Amino acid sequence: MSNLTESPISSSDWIPGTPVATRGPRLRRMNWLVWRQHRVGFWTLLAVTAFCVAGLVHQRSDLIHQLTTHGWPSAPSDQWLPTVHLQRFQLASYGLGFVPIVLGVFLGAPLLAGDLENGTAKLVSSQSVSPTRWLGTKLGLSALVVVVCTTALSVTFGRWWEPVKLEPTVLGWSDGPAFDNTGPVPVALALFTVVSGVAIGMFLRRALISMAVTFAFAVAVQVIWHFQRLNLGHVVTITTHKGIGPEAFPQLPEAALEMDRTLISGSGQTYGWGTCAHEASTKTCAQKFDLEGWSVDYLPISQMSSMQWFGASILFAMTAAVTVVIFLRGRKRIV
């Protein structure tokens, strides 16, 4: 079976005293052995990441050229916004959104399941290397590659999107395509999915089954994250007492995400924003319900970074918890 983590090695490679080869990464002993075992997958991930980063850098350069040609940033957005290729942002963001799933399925799930299935784990247990060190090295190198790749993608995609981040018609800052592909979120999502895949593989001990279960798990994580994303922020409320006409509606900060709006009466009672939909006129409705203003809940774009770090910290904590489970399980039963 071929996947990102399988690369056959001979039994002599697992002798702790094996000399380090003159080619490849200058790693020693267990680090070198683990890298050599999974070198095809690691180098593939690094190469694909480098290719994607180069493409994102080129897209940013092209975007800046188009924007400055049409007067950005001093000119109003209606002059330069039509030059932005929205489809490119959408395609790139959707593609990056699958990265945690792909890494979890093809890197995390078979990382230990493959060794348990083909007997490599038994060979490790017969050497002087402890299971804890073996697990730590495999998880550490894999996590390092994941962090390097996802950080590079996050930074370059964020720099590409930065000039137009205030325009919701390009990518809404609170939506997954922007929120989940910038800052620490893609790193945290990928690490959690990969480590969870490793745990699933350790318990199921079959690579293909582990990959299928990890895929379902990763999709479930994405769905749950989608519905909980906005709960990471602190909702801000703004109220007015200048009437309920369109001209009296409060002015929200630029790029703010409106969460809810209600009508408020003189006594402080709130009514749904559609209360006046079936009334003869706004004035009649205001008199009938004693309405005198608006109450609007929103999330400002200034909270985006804090929301991302808060969500990422939760994912990092969950990743650490799963890692502890892996080591506890590995100490008790690795073969």
Side-chain angles (χ1 to χ4, degrees), residues 205-269:
R205 307 172 70 86
R206 294 292 184 271
L208 283 177
I209 297 176
S210 299
M211 293 168 71
V213 174
T214 301
F215 175 79
F217 174 82
V219 172
V221 169
Q222 294 282 353
V223 172
I224 295 173
W225 179 261
H226 170 76
F227 286 106
Q228 296 298 322
R229 187 186 303 117
L230 297 182
N231 294 330
L232 300 172
H234 175 68
V235 176
V236 179
T237 302
I238 183 173
T239 59
T240 64
H241 300 276
K242 301 178 180 180
I244 63 172
E247 69 284 351
F249 192 81
Q251 182 69 34
L252 301 182
E254 188 175 14
L257 174 67
E258 182 180 325
M259 303 292 290
D260 190 22
R261 63 171 69 177
T262 56
L263 294 164
I264 55 177
S265 66
S267 62
Q269 187 175 355

Side-chain angles (χ1 to χ4, degrees), residues 136-153:
T137 305
K138 289 178 78 72
L139 284 176
L141 281 179
S142 300
L144 177 62
V145 172
V146 170
V147 170
V148 169
C149 293
T150 52
T151 299
L153 292 174

Side-chain angles (χ1 to χ4, degrees), residues 27-323:
L27 303 176
R28 294 296 184 270
R29 295 190 177 184
M30 183 58 63
N31 291 333
W32 176 79
L33 293 174
V34 171
W35 179 273
R36 187 171 188 269
Q37 182 187 13
H38 304 297
R39 64 189 182 278
V40 175
F42 290 159
W43 282 119
T44 300
L45 289 176
L46 293 171
V48 172
T49 299
F51 176 80
C52 293
V53 166
L56 293 174
V57 170
H58 172 74
Q59 291 298 330
R60 184 182 190 277
S61 177
D62 181 65
L63 174 67
I64 295 296
H65 174 73
Q66 293 293 333
L67 294 179
T68 53
T69 300
H70 292 80
W72 177 87
S74 57
S77 61
D78 58 353
Q79 293 186 16
W80 49 261
L81 188 58
T83 66
V84 179
H85 300 283
L86 305 182
Q87 296 81 1
R88 296 182 184 179
F89 278 101
Q90 293 170 354
L91 288 175
S93 61
Y94 290 150
L96 293 176
F98 283 101
V99 169
I101 299 177
V102 172
L103 291 177
V105 171
F106 292 99
L107 177 62
L111 189 70
L112 295 183
D115 290 342
L116 293 170
E117 186 175 13
N118 61 30
T120 304
K122 292 183 178 180
L123 184 60
V124 173
S125 64
S126 66
Q127 306 297 320
S128 59
V129 177
S130 66
T132 300
R133 183 184 174 191
W134 178 63
L135 288 173
T137 305
K138 289 178 78 72
L139 284 176
L141 281 179
S142 300
L144 177 62
V145 172
V146 170
V147 170
V148 169
C149 293
T150 52
T151 299
L153 292 174
S154 173
V155 171
T156 50
F157 182 80
R159 282 180 53 80
W160 178 30
W161 176 61
E162 180 72 24
V164 294
K165 68 183 300 182
L166 296 179
E167 295 297 328
T169 56
V170 180
L171 289 178
W173 69 267
S174 60
D175 296 331
F179 192 92
D180 296 349
N181 292 321
T182 57
V185 175
V187 181
L189 277 173
L191 272 180
F192 177 64
T193 306
V194 168
V195 173
S196 297
V198 173
I200 292 172
M202 172 178 277
F203 282 95
L204 297 183
R205 307 172 70 86
R206 294 292 184 271
L208 283 177
I209 297 176
S210 299
M211 293 168 71
V213 174
T214 301
F215 175 79
F217 174 82
V219 172
V221 169
Q222 294 282 353
V223 172
I224 295 173
W225 179 261
H226 170 76
F227 286 106
Q228 296 298 322
R229 187 186 303 117
L230 297 182
N231 294 330
L232 300 172
H234 175 68
V235 176
V236 179
T237 302
I238 183 173
T239 59
T240 64
H241 300 276
K242 301 178 180 180
I244 63 172
E247 69 284 351
F249 192 81
Q251 182 69 34
L252 301 182
E254 188 175 14
L257 174 67
E258 182 180 325
M259 303 292 290
D260 190 22
R261 63 171 69 177
T262 56
L263 294 164
I264 55 177
S265 66
S267 62
Q269 187 175 355
T270 59
Y271 297 86
W273 61 270
T275 300
C276 297
H278 301 291
E279 298 295 333
S281 66
T282 301
K283 183 177 180 180
T284 302
C285 181
Q287 293 176 347
K288 179 179 179 180
F289 296 98
D290 188 28
L291 302 177
E292 62 175 32
W294 291 94
S295 177
V296 182
D297 297 335
Y298 69 93
L299 287 174
I301 193 174
S302 59
Q303 291 191 20
M304 180 180 181
S305 179
S306 60
M307 290 170 62
Q308 287 180 315
W309 278 105
F310 180 44
S313 65
I314 296 174
L315 291 171
F316 286 140
M318 295 170 64
T319 301
V322 176
T323 303

